[in-house]
Amino acid sequence: MASFKITGDKRLNGEIVPQGAKNEALQIICAVLLTKEAVTIHNIPDIRDVNQLINLLGDLGVRRTRLSESAIRFEASEINLDYIESDSFKQKAAALRGSVMLLGPMLARFRKGRIPRPGGDKIGRRRLDTHFLGFEKLGATFSYDEEDGGFYKVDAANLRGTYMLLDEASVTGTANVLMAAVMAEGITTIYNAACEPYLQQLCKMLNRMGAKISGIASNLLVVEGVSELHGTDHTMLPDMIEIGSFIGLAAMTQSEITIKNCQIPQLGIIPDVFQRLGIKMEFRGDDIFIPAQEHYRIENYLDGSTLSVADAPWPGFTPDLLSIILVTATQAQGTVLVHQKMFESRLFFVDKLIEMGAQIILCDPHRATVIGHNRETQLRGIRMTSPDIRAGVALLIAAMSARGVSIIDNIEQIDRGYQNIDTRLNAIGAEIVRL
């Protein structure tokens, strides 16, 4: 198990470029299974989850040619379906939450699929009902075999378009059902679809491959099934979660940072929410400039009541940034209620922030009230463990702003979602040592 040793209280200065979007990458890379032709993907993040998925595709028989540091050409002309029956597939797919999105392309092209119960962050209940109910609506049948090692087996010999109302606006669920529907017979209408930029990117890529999807960027997608798809080129968006993390980091460490190539129109209300915490920023073309701020003040509502920041389906605020909002608020002036609606275990890292000196009241598994210090009391370095990707980076931000030295264990969780984060932050003035 690797660790970070962080010497805190360092002012950063310089430019940083966000990686490609992790959440987009996992579904885009699975989509290469939909065609025999070559698909070239650019701006792929070099992170653990994505690399594991690429290696898993290689084990399935997908040929991969690296064109540059962040570009790979995939060719899925010869797929070894026997591999999905193997112990190796079970072990590798179970370790990766994103592996569940292999099912949609498998059902579309091969009319069958098999996947073990996938892993991922331990942040509470993460059900797969949306995926499987959507597949069933399309005519697939599935079974779960505990004695066979916990495999979901899906048969889709007769995929037919239909109307469906998703039980939740799940990003991965929408992507999975959408990829199955593009080659189903007839027309599929998906209501209550997620419409995050990741989904918009996937829809645009599939249309370039020959799919017929309308309603992009809305929660009502209409898919006219086609018999085959073709190759294409695709460039992924910058990671909005990294961009938000860097905004919070700059504020907490009183640093002057320019975040490059952000594709600002795709960020939705993310900059607005950080601005409501009092964080100043300037949009310079497609870059975000964060000036060094000694103080930042949380807004109240017009009636004077306490600000509440809650996650919601897009275009609402993404749940992946609530951990960053929470830690950033610890040094603001004012109070904010952070309401994590989606996952019941994602706020349980706040005990470490309290140990560092933060004033936080954990109201229940979903809500925490943060009373900002206004820098009157500086956080202090401690030893802690990263419980998941987003909490791990929140703890890293806390450690970088703290007095003294902190140790963060289990940084493999951080590496799952953030590309060479220590090297990139050290380049602009941080002091992080990988142990």
Side-chain angles (χ1 to χ4, degrees):
M1 182 183 294
S3 303
F4 280 151
K5 177 183 177 182
I6 304 105
T7 302
D9 203 18
K10 303 287 183 183
R11 302 281 183 99
L12 312 185
N13 188 282
E15 297 180 347
I16 193 161
V17 179
Q19 67 188 29
K22 168 186 177 283
N23 290 342
E24 179 186 343
L26 295 176
Q27 58 199 38
I28 290 293
I29 290 171
C30 288
V32 306
L33 288 174
L34 287 165
T35 179
K36 295 180 179 180
E37 299 179 16
V39 176
T40 301
I41 304 176
H42 303 270
N43 201 28
I44 299 174
D46 182 14
I47 55 178
R48 180 165 301 190
D49 275 14
V50 171
N51 292 336
Q52 286 180 338
L53 182 59
I54 291 171
N55 290 336
L56 188 58
L57 286 174
D59 293 336
L60 279 166
V62 178
R63 290 200 295 272
R64 300 152 297 159
T65 304
R66 185 165 289 277
L67 305 178
S68 69
E69 187 175 322
S70 63
I72 299 176
R73 183 171 62 242
F74 298 87
E75 189 175 336
S77 57
E78 298 178 8
I79 298 300
N80 177 19
L81 288 178
D82 292 337
Y83 180 70
I84 66 176
E85 308 286 338
S86 69
D87 289 338
S88 173
F89 177 75
K90 173 188 170 184
Q91 180 181 0
K92 292 181 179 180
L96 178 64
R97 181 78 187 176
S99 65
V100 72
M101 282 184 287
L102 293 170
L103 272 180
M106 283 184 182
L107 300 184
R109 184 171 164 197
F110 305 111
R111 295 309 200 242
K112 66 177 182 178
R114 196 167 185 260
I115 201 79
R117 183 186 292 274
D121 283 336
K122 307 304 180 186
I123 54 176
R125 186 172 60 97
R126 306 179 77 182
R127 59 191 178 89
L128 297 174
D129 299 59
T130 304
H131 303 249
F132 290 117
L133 290 173
F135 294 149
E136 282 189 320
K137 283 282 190 180
L138 291 170
T141 59
F142 78 95
S143 61
Y144 178 68
D145 192 341
E146 188 70 47
E147 294 182 359
D148 191 24
F151 268 96
Y152 293 101
K153 298 180 180 180
V154 190
D155 177 76
N158 297 298
L159 278 186
R160 296 184 181 278
T162 186
Y163 169 86
M164 68 179 74
L165 172 66
L166 299 186
D167 66 332
E168 63 174 345
S170 162
V171 175
T172 56
T174 302
N176 224 351
V177 173
L178 177 68
M179 288 188 283
V182 291
M183 295 173 72
E185 183 180 338
I187 294 176
T188 301
T189 302
I190 306 174
Y191 206 19
N192 196 32
C195 57
E196 273 79 352
Y198 314 131
L199 256 300
Q200 297 175 39
Q201 286 280 96
L202 176 63
C203 290
K204 293 172 184 176
M205 172 182 168
L206 293 174
N207 279 349
R208 289 197 304 273
M209 294 171 71
K212 297 180 179 179
I213 305 167
S214 59
I216 298 172
S218 78
N219 66 346
L220 178 61
L221 296 175
V222 178
V223 185
E224 182 181 344
V226 297
S227 59
E228 63 177 350
L229 295 178
H230 306 285
T232 190
D233 276 28
H234 180 80
T235 300
M236 290 193 292
L237 293 172
D239 196 304
M240 66 172 72
I241 313 305
E242 261 213 347
I243 293 169
S245 300
F246 294 150
I247 293 172
L249 171 65
M252 278 285 282
T253 58
Q254 303 178 66
S255 299
E256 182 178 293
I257 295 175
T258 299
I259 310 169
K260 302 290 290 182
N261 306 325
C262 295
Q263 295 212 22
I264 294 168
Q266 302 295 332
L267 296 178
I269 66 169
I270 289 172
D272 298 335
V273 174
F274 282 98
Q275 286 172 327
R276 298 201 74 178
L277 294 187
I279 299 171
K280 296 177 182 177
M281 62 186 74
E282 299 174 16
F283 299 144
R284 298 178 173 178
D286 218 16
D287 302 340
I288 300 177
F289 172 73
I290 315 294
Q293 286 183 250
E294 185 175 352
H295 300 284
Y296 48 102
R297 182 176 181 175
I298 299 170
E299 292 182 5
N300 290 332
Y301 289 116
L302 292 176
D303 63 359
S305 57
T306 299
L307 178 70
S308 176
V309 178
D311 57 332
W314 192 269
F317 192 67
T318 172
D320 283 344
L321 278 173
L322 281 182
S323 301
I324 308 300
I325 290 290
L326 190 149
V327 72
T328 304
T330 63
Q331 289 299 334
Q333 179 184 353
T335 301
V336 63
L337 174 67
V338 176
H339 191 174
Q340 169 61 265
K341 297 178 180 177
M342 188 172 294
F343 302 113
E344 64 267 20
S345 302
R346 219 171 202 175
L347 298 181
F348 286 170
F349 74 100
V350 302
D351 61 326
K352 298 304 178 186
L353 297 178
I354 293 170
E355 188 179 344
M356 297 177 79
Q359 293 184 343
I360 304 171
I361 301 168
L362 186 60
C363 309
D364 56 46
H366 290 276
R367 297 178 302 159
T369 299
V370 186
I371 301 134
H373 286 167
N374 194 27
R375 303 203 195 277
E376 293 176 3
T377 303
Q378 190 174 9
L379 300 181
R380 56 183 175 272
I382 63 168
R383 186 161 201 146
M384 45 198 159
T385 299
S386 171
D388 64 74
I389 298 174
R390 308 308 176 187
V393 169
L395 293 175
L396 177 62
I397 291 172
M400 291 176 64
S401 72
R403 180 182 67 255
V405 174
S406 297
I407 303 290
I408 302 179
D409 298 317
N410 194 31
I411 59 168
E412 288 83 1
Q413 288 285 355
I414 299 174
D415 288 336
R416 287 179 50 220
Y418 291 81
Q419 174 179 316
N420 303 322
I421 191 67
D422 50 335
T423 304
R424 294 158 69 205
L425 292 178
N426 285 342
I428 57 173
E431 191 172 325
I432 305 170
V433 178
R434 184 179 292 261
L435 305 177

